[in-house]
Amino acid sequence: GVKDGRWTVLQLVEALGFCLENTEPRMRGRGIQLLSQVLLQCYSLLQEKEVLHLVLFYESRLQDHHLVIPSVLQGLRALSMCEVLSPGLAVSVLKAIFQEVHVQSLLQLDRHTVYSIITNFMSTREEELKGLGANFTFGFIQVMDGEKDPRNLLLAFQIVHDLIAKDYALGPFVEELFEVTSCYFPVDFTPPPNDPHGIQREDLILSLRAVLASTPQFAEFLLPLLIEKLDSELQSAKLDSLQTLTACCAIYGQKELREFLPSLWSSLRREVFQTASEKIETECLTALHALSACLSRSVLSSDSEDLLDSFLSSILQDCRHHLCEPDMKLVWPSAKLLQAAAGASLRTYHHITHSVLPLLLEQYTKHTQSSQRRTILEMLLGFLELQQKWRHVEEDESTLLSLQAPVCSVVFSALLDPSVQLQLVGIKALTVLGSLQGFLSSSDLELVVDHLIRLTLHEEDSQSSEAAMEAAGSLACTYPNIFSGRMVSRLEEELQSEREESYHNHHSLQQRCLQALAAVSTHTSIMRKTVPVLLQHLQKVQKGTEARNTQDMVSVCQSLHRVALQCQQDAECCWYFHQTVVPSLLAMAVQAAMPESTHTLPGKALLEEEVLAAMIPVISAATTHLSPELAAQSVSHVVPLFLDGEVSFLPQNSFPCSFQPFGDGECLEAQRRVVALFMAFICSLPRDVAIPQQECLLRELLALSCSCNCPFTATTAAKCFAGLVNKHPAGQQLDEILQLAVNRIESSLLEGPCRTQALTLLLWVTKALVLRYHPLSSCLTDKLLGLLGDTELGPAAADGFSLLMAESPDVLHKGCHADVRIMFRQRFFTDNVPKLVQGFHGANPDMKANYLKGLSHVLNHLPKPVLVTELPTLLSLLLEALSCSDRVVQLSTLSCLHPLLLEAPQIMSLHVDTLVTKFLNLTSSPTMAVRIAALRCAHALTSLPTTVLLPYKGRVIRALAKPLDDKKRLVRKEAVAARGEWFLVGSPGR
């Protein structure tokens, strides 16, 4: 009635008169409860005069019987949300609550109501409440004192935080406010199981920390408390104290810290020197960094002592001498403490490094053992990395600049040391020095390049060689001119030189040259030099006669792929690479595909499957990041090349005969293989790029995929067709081409020599449609399910389920702009696993393995949380799959069960007897991969409840003794790990 306007609230009060004035407290309470419930729904409809009368009424009832108070508070909560509350009423209500209600004697919900009233008034009547002065703070302290419920504490902590943040008067009650909140520090709370409120210990910790670290006024009380908790034995208390100290440093100054700095430093030093906990060490270093930063920020008056200098001096005094003992256990803790302080500001960095860097350089020269030198250089590297925060070297202040010569000398000597580990640290240091603007002179840079070339090409250890290449790539961005001139030229010379040395050494050197040319191509100017060198080398290898041509070509393509990936974020660089490399690779492939009578046989190595497979990612990476305009420009050349033989845009485009990859005749088999490169290009284009002659192209690819006798070419054509279909806009054209494909697949599957090609096409088209949720996908999946019972194609169809679910590396993935919908795997699982299960139960015994294989492939690629929820219904089938003789089924099922043992131990426990038997039987499998997977599953069984495992402990330990003598090292390794864990089952503390 009140909501509809038929009644006013005051009329309701009059109607409730007999209840509100009843002598029986319970009856009065019920009357007020009803009125309060109405107000909670209708407070926004009240008039100012009504609110005034209701506030006065409710205030008077705060003196009523304790049974009435909860309903009174609910009414006041409703009134606290009224926008028409008259000035002065908020103060009046809170004064009445502070004076008349002993809050902590109320139930949790009623206390929560009081906090809500205060919160509401603080958000809408801030100025009025501030008029109460410190009395408001004192009143709230009385309300909160003794609170224990975490739900209420979160509200109370927020109120205290707002009191401080919004500058309410604390008056003489600062210490009392601190005491009433700090008594909860450190938070000791474990949420009950199945807690519906969802309050976590971390919520309380963060809320309390926000209060304690909200004002410097708490410093004199809080810092002694933090020091006390740091000295406790409780790890959680130490962590909480350190994190709170770090938070406080953001608002403290020298004045607050002055008295406590010696004690704080003593506690931090002790923890870092003595703790076995990595977490505590990390938090100590973070706190020390924050302290140093806080002291660095403080503005000093002319007559005040600079606490930062004395604080850093204390750190140096306690840590510096440990750096002279590179074999002692305190060397690293000391270095970490010094680095934590040095990283706080440029001023702390200069103070610390002025003392430490000369000492480290002296120690490096003094010690001759590689292990000791490595430790010293790693410490030096830590300080060099800190300088990177400021990126430049200031001539007037920097200790580092004054030590330029000895620092470079130390780093260069490390690069010449026979110890690989010392070399690796030296390479890291070299990279850091190069990143410091103005530190290395031009002569130093030349020496840097020479060292990197030597390490890249001639260092025996591959770790050093690879690290040197990475360093060259990093530094080339900063110094493109010297790397473009000096390093690229040297690498080109080495690549072209014909050395009289063993094939293996020469081949290894060439491999490294190719890798280095790619690694250093991190700047546009360098890339414009390295790409022609790589292409020139590929042409040279193509014309060669050695048997190693295939592997050399693959190596060049791998280097080109790396360059392509490095170019992708720079549009200009990406377009240069694309228009230089793609036509060149296509031209070489077309040349190699010409009839043998006009071309020597070794050139055909370019068309080998391994080489084409290496060229595909190069073209794909060069195409995926093109702008639509540039991609359209490129596609206008490439499509006519393959459909019409238009070769004019290719370099060296004089070929002895026409290029017809979609033509008929056995003599064109080599040309058809080049379709693999077309697939790489066309399937990597952005989705909004129009493809000329697309319908003709799709028909040619469809015909080639079903009729070609070469499995590689047929598969490539099928993938290319699927890639185009996946991106094709929905509509009549797509429906027609899909119907054509379905008809072709159905006719080819019935009989004839092309059944395998038809299955491959079916798989790729199904995948293309499954990814985009096309309605036809379910029809094609049903055809695939039907083939599981086919004697000839059944096993291949079962393996096809892996293709449908797995990420494809070259087409139909998001990186090449394919239409991939989220959760397509879950949808496929929901639609098809019931059909697989049904088919399994109805299949002939000889065909059941195909259904199990298909099912295990689907489950293997399903997100584990989804799989766990479906586990109860599928587990019996998975266990049956372990008895299948097909090793692919066994391996796939084991890899599916392994994570489930860890993530769903309760469900798996119900089948422990079967699992133990199956796993132990499979540890004797003739297939090594199955033996390893079975041992991993036997190991994972130990995550099940101990009471379930104990009856099997002896049996498993005895059975696992046999694979300890397996002839394969990897099997023995898994057996040792699994058996060791089973020995521990049931032991104390496990």
Side-chain angles (χ1 to χ4, degrees):
V2 174
K3 276 187 176 179
D4 297 341
R6 290 183 284 113
W7 290 75
T8 66
V9 172
L10 293 180
Q11 286 175 316
L12 176 63
V13 172
E14 288 176 12
L16 284 171
F18 74 100
C19 284
L20 301 179
E21 296 173 356
N22 198 290
T23 55
E24 176 63 39
R26 290 186 185 278
M27 183 59 73
R28 290 200 305 279
R30 291 180 66 187
I32 294 173
Q33 183 183 15
L34 176 57
L35 178 60
S36 296
Q37 286 173 345
V38 171
L39 290 177
L40 283 168
Q41 293 194 45
C42 306
Y43 64 86
S44 60
L45 306 174
L46 297 176
Q47 302 298 315
E48 186 175 349
K49 189 175 180 182
E50 292 176 318
V51 174
L52 174 62
H53 287 301
L54 286 166
V55 167
L56 294 174
F57 166 72
Y58 273 104
E59 279 185 14
S60 67
R61 292 297 178 168
L62 285 173
Q63 300 173 1
D64 206 333
H65 195 278
H66 66 87
L67 291 174
V68 178
I69 299 300
S71 299
V72 175
L73 292 172
Q74 288 294 343
L76 288 171
R77 181 165 74 88
L79 295 170
S80 71
M81 294 185 279
C82 290
E83 292 181 10
V84 294
L85 196 71
S86 301
L89 287 184
V91 170
S92 175
V93 169
L94 288 180
K95 277 184 173 179
I97 290 174
F98 293 159
Q99 187 173 338
E100 303 296 343
V101 183
H102 184 244
V103 176
Q104 289 306 315
S105 65
L106 301 174
L107 295 176
Q108 179 271 326
L109 181 60
D110 303 325
R111 301 198 304 276
H112 193 277
T113 303
V114 174
Y115 295 125
S116 299
I117 293 169
I118 296 171
T119 302
N120 291 340
F121 283 147
M122 287 181 74
S123 62
T124 59
R125 299 288 187 273
E126 183 178 327
E127 292 307 317
E128 288 182 40
L129 300 192
K130 285 182 176 177
L132 276 170
N135 290 330
F136 175 58
T137 304
F138 179 67
F140 175 73
I141 289 170
Q142 288 181 306
V143 167
M144 182 184 172
D145 194 9
E147 182 58 67
K148 290 185 175 61
D149 191 276
R151 292 164 287 182
N152 293 346
L153 283 172
L154 284 177
L155 258 183
F157 290 155
Q158 186 59 51
I159 291 170
V160 178
H161 183 268
D162 289 346
L163 278 173
I164 295 165
K166 294 180 179 178
D167 207 23
Y168 282 77
L170 305 184
F173 304 115
V174 173
E175 186 172 1
E176 284 79 0
L177 188 61
F178 172 78
E179 291 295 339
V180 85
T181 50
S182 65
C183 62
Y184 302 101
F185 183 86
V187 171
D188 181 20
F189 168 67
T190 305
N194 306 317
D195 179 19
H197 308 291
I199 295 175
Q200 299 296 317
R201 179 171 174 269
E202 191 66 18
D203 299 327
L204 289 166
I205 287 173
L206 294 175
S207 190
L208 176 57
R209 185 176 301 150
V211 171
L212 297 177
S214 61
T215 173
Q217 294 181 74
F218 283 168
E220 61 178 303
F221 316 113
L222 178 59
L223 291 175
L225 176 64
L226 295 180
I227 292 166
E228 177 193 332
K229 299 301 179 185
L230 271 173
D231 295 342
S232 74
E233 295 298 317
L234 202 61
Q235 181 165 320
S236 60
K238 289 178 190 280
L239 284 172
D240 206 350
S241 301
L242 290 165
Q243 289 164 353
T244 304
L245 175 60
T246 301
C248 290
C249 287
I251 61 161
Y252 286 3
Q254 292 203 4
K255 185 180 91 173
E256 287 77 26
L257 293 172
R258 179 186 302 276
E259 182 185 344
F260 305 102
L261 277 176
S263 299
L264 286 169
W265 163 238
S266 175
S267 296
L268 293 174
R269 182 191 62 213
R270 183 193 66 243
E271 290 302 324
V272 173
F273 279 177
Q274 296 178 7
T275 187
S277 165
E278 211 171 296
K279 276 186 181 178
I280 288 180
E281 182 188 86
T282 302
E283 292 299 338
C284 280
L285 297 174
T286 304
L288 180 59
H289 181 278
L291 277 171
S292 303
C294 174
L295 295 172
S296 301
R297 278 194 310 270
S298 299
V299 178
L300 301 174
S301 58
S302 58
D303 58 343
S304 62
E305 177 196 356
D306 185 359
L307 284 182
L308 179 63
D309 274 349
S310 58
F311 183 61
L312 295 178
S313 297
S314 298
I315 297 173
L316 284 165
Q317 183 181 340
D318 291 341
C319 296
R320 190 175 181 274
H321 61 280
H322 292 302
L323 303 184
C324 302
E325 306 158 353
D327 290 333
M328 303 299 284
K329 67 176 184 177
L330 292 182
V331 65
W332 270 117
S334 298
K336 287 176 182 177
L337 286 166
L338 289 165
Q339 286 166 6
S345 68
L346 197 54
R347 193 169 152 220
T348 59
Y349 181 78
H350 289 318
H351 188 117
I352 297 282
T353 53
H354 180 75
S355 173
V356 170
L357 290 189
L359 175 68
L360 290 175
L361 293 169
E362 179 191 324
Q363 291 298 311
Y364 185 92
T365 309
K366 181 179 172 184
H367 291 89
T368 54
Q369 288 185 19
S370 295
S371 60
Q372 294 173 326
R373 285 191 157 192
R374 186 183 111 198
T375 301
I376 295 164
L377 188 56
E378 282 176 336
M379 290 189 283
L380 182 63
L381 175 61
F383 287 103
L384 294 178
E385 286 173 335
L386 292 176
Q387 176 74 57
Q388 282 183 301
K389 290 172 72 171
W390 298 284
R391 281 289 166 193
H392 59 281
V393 182
E394 295 182 7
E395 294 186 26
D396 56 336
E397 292 186 74
S398 177
T399 306
L400 192 55
L401 200 61
S402 66
L403 297 171
Q404 181 187 17
V407 167
C408 288
S409 173
V410 160
V411 172
F412 291 152
S413 76
L415 300 178
L416 293 166
D417 196 276
S419 164
V420 172
Q421 297 307 314
L422 182 53
Q423 283 179 14
L424 291 173
V425 182
I427 291 168
K428 283 183 190 173
L430 197 63
T431 309
V432 174
L433 290 179
S435 70
L436 301 177
Q437 190 178 343
F439 185 80
L440 294 175
S441 65
S442 55
S443 58
D444 287 333
L445 283 169
E446 290 179 3
L447 197 53
V448 165
V449 172
D450 292 342
H451 275 298
L452 290 176
I453 292 171
R454 177 184 56 78
L455 289 166
T456 297
L457 301 182
H458 305 298
E459 176 56 46
E460 287 184 16
D461 189 89
S462 61
Q463 273 184 291
S464 293
S465 176
E466 288 166 14
M469 288 184 206
E470 294 299 324
S474 175
L475 293 173
C477 291
T478 313
Y479 309 102
N481 292 338
I482 190 164
F483 276 86
S484 175
R486 196 175 185 89
M487 188 162 190
V488 174
S489 302
R490 285 277 300 278
L491 291 171
E492 187 177 2
E493 287 171 17
E494 289 285 354
L495 198 59
Q496 293 173 350
S497 66
E498 297 291 339
R499 295 172 178 271
E500 297 209 0
E501 52 189 324
S502 71
Y503 158 72
H504 176 77
N505 289 341
H506 181 62
H507 182 62
S508 174
L509 183 64
Q510 287 212 332
Q511 292 271 79
R512 287 194 177 184
C513 281
L514 293 170
Q515 291 168 1
L517 283 167
V520 81
S521 302
T522 51
H523 191 276
T524 307
S525 63
I526 301 175
M527 186 269 297
R528 286 174 179 269
K529 280 194 168 186
T530 56
V531 165
V533 172
L534 290 168
L535 289 173
Q536 186 182 351
H537 185 69
L538 184 60
Q539 289 171 338
K540 176 185 171 185
V541 174
Q542 183 189 8
K543 293 171 184 173
T545 56
E546 290 92 343
R548 61 185 171 83
N549 282 10
T550 300
Q551 187 51 51
D552 283 351
M553 289 178 183
V554 170
S555 298
V556 179
C557 290
Q558 287 170 343
S559 291
L560 284 169
H561 183 229
R562 178 169 179 174
V563 178
L565 294 175
Q566 289 167 181
C567 288
Q568 286 181 338
Q569 303 311 316
D570 184 320
E572 181 190 346
C573 197
C574 185
W575 177 236
Y576 169 80
F577 184 90
H578 180 89
Q579 65 178 354
T580 305
V581 173
V582 173
S584 296
L585 293 183
L586 290 173
M588 282 186 252
V590 170
Q591 181 68 54
M594 290 295 127
E596 289 180 12
S597 59
T598 60
H599 196 272
T600 54
L601 190 61
K604 298 294 180 190
L606 193 76
L607 298 179
E608 288 185 17
E609 188 173 330
E610 190 180 354
V611 180
L612 288 171
M615 293 169 81
I616 286 169
V618 179
I619 294 176
S620 181
T623 308
T624 53
H625 283 64
L626 289 182
S627 67
E629 297 77 22
L630 294 175
Q633 186 178 326
S634 190
V635 78
S636 67
H637 296 302
V638 177
V639 171
L641 167 67
F642 282 84
L643 283 181
D644 310 321
E646 178 54 63
V647 297
S648 58
F649 85 103
L650 298 178
Q652 306 160 358
N653 53 23
S654 175
F655 301 110
C657 62
S658 61
F659 180 60
Q660 298 174 298
F662 295 117
D664 296 327
E666 288 186 19
C667 62
L668 297 175
E669 184 59 51
Q671 293 191 11
R672 294 190 192 109
R673 295 176 73 83
V674 186
V675 171
L677 304 187
F678 179 68
M679 174 201 74
F681 170 80
I682 208 79
C683 291
S684 300
L685 292 169
R687 223 182 297 175
D688 53 356
V689 173
I691 297 172
Q693 307 180 69
Q694 185 166 11
E695 305 313 310
C696 174
L697 189 57
L698 284 165
R699 290 171 188 273
E700 294 286 10
L701 288 166
L702 180 60
L704 184 60
S705 65
C706 285
S707 61
C708 184
N709 294 324
C710 170
F712 174 76
T713 304
T715 302
T716 300
K719 288 162 76 172
C720 190
F721 180 84
L724 290 173
V725 161
N726 174 265
K727 296 180 187 177
H728 198 296
Q732 185 180 352
Q733 285 185 325
L734 177 62
D735 294 341
E736 288 175 0
I737 197 70
L738 284 175
Q739 190 55 53
L740 197 65
V742 170
N743 295 342
R744 192 69 180 259
I745 289 168
E746 287 178 341
S747 61
S748 299
L749 282 174
L750 286 175
E751 57 184 355
C754 297
R755 294 190 76 207
T756 303
Q757 290 94 317
L759 173 61
T760 302
L761 179 61
L762 172 62
L763 286 168
W764 282 103
V765 174
T766 304
K767 183 178 179 73
L769 299 183
V770 163
L771 292 178
R772 65 180 278 179
Y773 289 0
H774 192 280
L776 188 61
S777 62
S778 57
C779 171
L780 295 181
T781 308
D782 289 342
K783 291 185 188 300
L784 188 60
L785 287 164
L787 288 173
L788 291 174
D790 188 287
T791 308
E792 179 190 354
L793 298 179
D799 284 330
F801 281 90
S802 175
L803 185 150
L804 294 181
M805 299 293 282
E807 185 84 8
S808 173
D810 42 13
V811 294
L812 296 177
H813 60 86
K814 287 184 179 179
C816 64
H817 311 290
D819 186 355
V820 182
R821 305 296 175 88
I822 60 170
M823 299 177 71
F824 77 89
R825 291 185 178 89
Q826 288 89 318
R827 180 169 175 167
F828 187 88
F829 171 86
T830 305
D831 292 346
N832 297 293
V833 164
K835 297 176 185 177
L836 277 167
V837 174
Q838 185 181 355
F840 169 81
H841 290 303
N844 293 328
D846 294 344
M847 298 297 148
K848 283 183 180 288
N850 294 338
Y851 288 90
L852 288 174
K853 189 190 290 188
L855 177 66
S856 61
H857 283 315
V858 174
L859 297 181
N860 249 321
H861 292 94
L862 200 65
K864 291 302 175 274
V866 179
L867 187 53
V868 169
T869 60
E870 301 291 338
L871 185 57
T873 56
L874 295 171
L875 191 53
S876 58
L877 258 183
L878 288 171
L879 294 174
E880 193 166 340
L882 290 176
S883 303
C884 179
S885 58
D886 189 311
R887 64 183 181 82
V888 176
V889 176
Q890 292 173 348
L891 194 57
S892 190
T893 308
L894 287 168
S895 61
C896 185
L897 287 170
H898 182 268
L900 296 176
L901 289 164
L902 305 173
E903 294 172 30
Q906 297 304 324
I907 299 172
M908 302 300 275
S909 298
L910 302 174
H911 302 270
V912 64
D913 190 68
T914 309
L915 289 167
V916 168
T917 303
K918 302 275 190 191
F919 293 159
L920 293 181
N921 288 343
L922 289 173
T923 59
S924 303
S925 166
T927 306
M928 182 183 80
V930 173
R931 297 200 300 277
I932 289 174
L935 287 166
R936 284 177 180 162
C937 285
H939 188 169
L941 276 172
T942 58
S943 63
L944 302 187
T946 302
T947 52
V948 174
L949 297 177
L950 282 173
Y952 302 94
K953 181 176 177 180
R955 174 186 165 192
V956 173
I957 289 172
R958 287 192 298 274
L960 292 180
K962 183 182 176 184
L964 291 177
D965 294 326
D966 197 281
K967 59 186 177 182
K968 295 293 185 181
R969 181 182 62 82
L970 292 175
V971 177
R972 297 196 299 272
K973 178 184 173 186
E974 294 295 340
V976 168
R979 197 163 185 256
E981 201 62 37
W982 271 93
F983 268 113
L984 295 174
V985 168
S987 59
R990 182 179 177 274

